[in-house]
Amino acid sequence: MSVTTTSKPSFSIALVNYKTPEVTAICLELLKKAVNVAEVPVYVVDNNSNDESLAHLKSLDWIHLIERKATAPEVGFMAHGRALDLALEQVTTDYLLLMHTDTLIYDPKIIDILLEKISTSSQIAAVGCLEQVKRPMMATAWRLFIRSVKYYSRKAKEALGIKTREPRLFYEIYLKSFCTLWNAKIIKQNNMSFAMVERIPGYEMQDQLPKLGYQFVTIPPREMFKYLDHIEAGTVSMVNALGSNHKRVKNYQAILKKVKSG
């Protein structure tokens, strides 16, 4: 059953494609089943792929394809952010759903959940998840423990004047863009964008908008991943040609096998 805009706030969808022809095709195939593309604009920005994925995108008459050509070498975060901003410029709806091309939506209910949460207040800038994958409880606890040990050990070294790496928070504080619903009006009204600085797109806005009174709402991973899969760093796995035994590549292949098997 497709999501429509009937009796719901208007929203658009934006994705950035870069050299992932197989997973991009699957992502869009599932997306077309999940939403009513006659009512929901889907913007796909090809980020100078120069491969067969662009030819496939050109064959789809239901997407709004934006071909982005880089004029100079770019770092990954800025390239992705500028691509998202090209889509944002064309968006006329209240909300913008950001997805990665390695986000595979099986149940459109997740979109209804995002819309319901963001529409409860005009001060909510975005709704999403703090984690990119669903981990078992023990794995989550172990990851938190290891990260906290590193964090506090580095803080201790700093206090003692010992040279060390910058301490990184051991818990997540930013919504991840693999499936995040943004209030496009808030972004535009405050003259912000996804490529404001050289950071992961959206992180700078998540630091700045709360200072202006806006809020961010989180959905727990156990809820989010009932309805979709995300191949964490799927683009990195394919583009950088990681070895077949790398855990990211194995995860990539396992999820694709799951999709293809129905």
Side-chain angles (χ1 to χ4, degrees), residues 85 88 182 184 186-196 204-212 214:
D85 286 337
L88 179 65
W182 282 85
I186 288 176
I187 297 174
K188 293 180 178 182
Q189 287 169 0
N190 290 279
N191 297 315
M192 294 190 177
S193 69
F194 293 103
M196 294 172 66
E204 185 68 14
M205 286 194 288
Q206 291 184 59
D207 281 342
Q208 298 302 324
L209 286 173
K211 299 175 183 177
L212 301 176
Y214 296 103

Side-chain angles (χ1 to χ4, degrees), residues 228-258:
L228 57 78
D229 271 329
H230 176 231
I231 308 172
E232 184 181 18
T235 301
V236 173
S237 300
M238 295 299 101
V239 173
N240 293 346
L242 300 177
S244 59
N245 290 324
H246 195 284
K247 67 177 183 178
R248 284 180 175 171
V249 175
K250 287 182 176 179
N251 185 44
Y252 184 104
Q253 296 299 338
I255 292 178
L256 291 187
K257 183 177 179 180
K258 172 183 174 182

Side-chain angles (χ1 to χ4, degrees), residues 56-128:
H56 175 69
L57 293 175
K58 287 182 175 180
S59 73
L60 304 177
D61 61 4
W62 56 273
I63 67 171
H64 300 274
L65 176 61
I66 303 171
E67 294 184 59
R68 180 174 182 268
K69 302 294 183 182
T71 56
E74 296 175 311
V75 180
F77 293 156
M78 190 60 74
H80 192 82
R82 286 171 177 162
L84 289 174
D85 286 337
L86 285 181
L88 179 65
E89 288 174 6
Q90 296 195 24
V91 168
T92 59
T93 53
D94 297 332
Y95 303 112
L96 175 62
L97 176 63
L98 294 192
M99 289 177 55
H100 290 179
T101 53
D102 55 5
T103 300
L104 311 176
I105 294 180
Y106 306 125
D107 188 337
K109 185 178 178 182
I110 185 58
I111 301 177
D112 290 330
I113 292 171
L114 293 168
L115 287 168
E116 181 180 351
K117 289 183 179 296
I118 202 169
S119 61
T120 57
S121 170
S122 60
Q123 294 302 105
I124 297 177
V127 179

Side-chain angles (χ1 to χ4, degrees), residues 1-2 23-35 37 62 99 103-108 111 227-229 255 259-260:
M1 181 178 178
S2 296
V23 75
T24 295
I26 294 172
C27 168
L28 291 174
E29 181 182 346
L30 290 172
L31 187 58
K32 190 177 182 182
K33 294 177 182 177
V35 302
V37 295
W62 56 273
M99 289 177 55
T103 300
L104 311 176
I105 294 180
Y106 306 125
D107 188 337
I111 301 177
Y227 311 104
L228 57 78
D229 271 329
I255 292 178
V259 174
K260 291 175 180 178

